[in-house]
Structures are given as structure tokens and as C-alpha cells.
Amino acid sequence: MADNFLRQVNTVPNFGVDLLFEGKDGIATGTVATNHKIPAGKVILGVIYRNIENDLTAGASGTVLANIGSTALGTAEAVADIKGTSVVQILATPVIATGDPVKLTVGTAGITAGTLDVVILYV
């Protein structure tokens, strides 16, 4: 039984993309495009915003929101809520990837410091 368990753990793929955004040089409000595309037809289940190192800061009430093409993945998350932790958003309605690039929309105020990991979970 133990061998079967180990085999299952080792054969289950890790589905997701992890994008790192550096805030130390400043990220202005607007949309930041990436060159990463989630393959068309994949089902996006959620997004994790995390700030593990270098405290994430933004101007007054700064927000972030991951997008695939023009489709928002969840709702905008306050940068202040992400600072020093992780915030998970499970999508109420999964999104079908179209092959469009992943984007990050920074709203209200730009990011001025820290690192932001954006992990998009899909199957």
C-alpha cells in the first residue's frame, strides 16, 4: 500500500504557472504584459498572489488583478492584503484559457517595492 501511495504522489503533475514581478523599480498603474501563455483549452481554477520576501508596497489603495487576454481571473486584490503573506482566490466560475498572454493589471496606485508572485492554477 505504501508503494502505491508513493507512486501516486510522484506521478501527479503540478499544474500552474508562477510569474514573478519585481516592484523595486516600480510598476506603474496599468497592464503589465508577460510572454507567458497558458495553453488554449486548459481550465483555470484560481490565482494565488503571494509576497514571501521584500515587503510589497504600493501607493494609496493599490490593487493587482491577473488576466488572460481581456478576461479577469477573479477580483482585484489590495496590495496591502498581500504584503508578507499569500492570498488565494478560487474562481467561482472557472475560466477556459484561449491561448492569450497572461497579464497583470495594477490599479489605483503603482507598486513601489517588493516582489509579487502570481501563481495561476489550471488543469
Short mmCIF file of all heavy atoms in Angstrom, two decimals, residues 51-52 55-56 82-86:
data_model
loop_
_atom_site.label_atom_id
_atom_site.label_comp_id
_atom_site.label_asym_id
_atom_site.label_seq_id
_atom_site.Cartn_x
_atom_site.Cartn_y
_atom_site.Cartn_z
N ASN A 51 3.53 37.31 -1.42
CA ASN A 51 4.67 38.19 -1.17
C ASN A 51 5.48 37.53 -0.07
O ASN A 51 5.20 37.71 1.10
CB ASN A 51 4.20 39.58 -0.78
CG ASN A 51 5.32 40.48 -0.36
OD1 ASN A 51 5.24 41.11 0.69
ND2 ASN A 51 6.37 40.58 -1.13
N ILE A 52 6.48 36.75 -0.46
CA ILE A 52 7.26 35.99 0.50
C ILE A 52 8.43 36.80 1.04
O ILE A 52 8.79 36.71 2.19
CB ILE A 52 7.77 34.68 -0.13
CG1 ILE A 52 6.61 33.88 -0.72
CG2 ILE A 52 8.57 33.86 0.85
CD1 ILE A 52 5.59 33.39 0.27
N ASP A 55 9.05 43.20 1.45
CA ASP A 55 7.69 43.69 1.65
C ASP A 55 7.13 44.44 0.45
O ASP A 55 7.71 45.41 -0.04
CB ASP A 55 7.62 44.59 2.88
CG ASP A 55 7.60 43.78 4.17
OD1 ASP A 55 7.39 42.56 4.10
OD2 ASP A 55 7.80 44.38 5.23
N LEU A 56 5.99 43.98 -0.01
CA LEU A 56 5.29 44.56 -1.14
C LEU A 56 4.59 45.84 -0.69
O LEU A 56 3.86 45.84 0.31
CB LEU A 56 4.27 43.55 -1.65
CG LEU A 56 3.58 43.84 -2.97
CD1 LEU A 56 4.58 43.84 -4.10
CD2 LEU A 56 2.51 42.80 -3.22
N ILE A 82 -1.83 41.59 0.60
CA ILE A 82 -0.87 40.58 0.15
C ILE A 82 0.46 40.71 0.90
O ILE A 82 1.18 39.73 1.05
CB ILE A 82 -0.63 40.71 -1.37
CG1 ILE A 82 -1.94 40.61 -2.13
CG2 ILE A 82 0.34 39.66 -1.86
CD1 ILE A 82 -1.84 41.00 -3.60
N LYS A 83 0.78 41.89 1.37
CA LYS A 83 2.08 42.16 1.99
C LYS A 83 2.42 41.13 3.06
O LYS A 83 1.69 40.94 4.02
CB LYS A 83 2.08 43.56 2.61
CG LYS A 83 3.39 43.93 3.27
CD LYS A 83 3.32 45.33 3.85
CE LYS A 83 4.60 45.68 4.58
NZ LYS A 83 4.55 47.03 5.12
N GLY A 84 3.54 40.41 2.86
CA GLY A 84 4.04 39.45 3.83
C GLY A 84 3.29 38.14 3.92
O GLY A 84 3.51 37.36 4.84
N THR A 85 2.38 37.87 2.99
CA THR A 85 1.57 36.66 3.08
C THR A 85 1.15 36.18 1.70
O THR A 85 1.67 36.65 0.69
CB THR A 85 0.33 36.91 3.98
OG1 THR A 85 -0.29 35.66 4.25
CG2 THR A 85 -0.65 37.88 3.37
N SER A 86 0.21 35.29 1.66
CA SER A 86 -0.38 34.81 0.40
C SER A 86 -1.88 34.97 0.46
O SER A 86 -2.48 34.80 1.52
CB SER A 86 -0.05 33.33 0.17
OG SER A 86 1.31 33.13 0.03
#
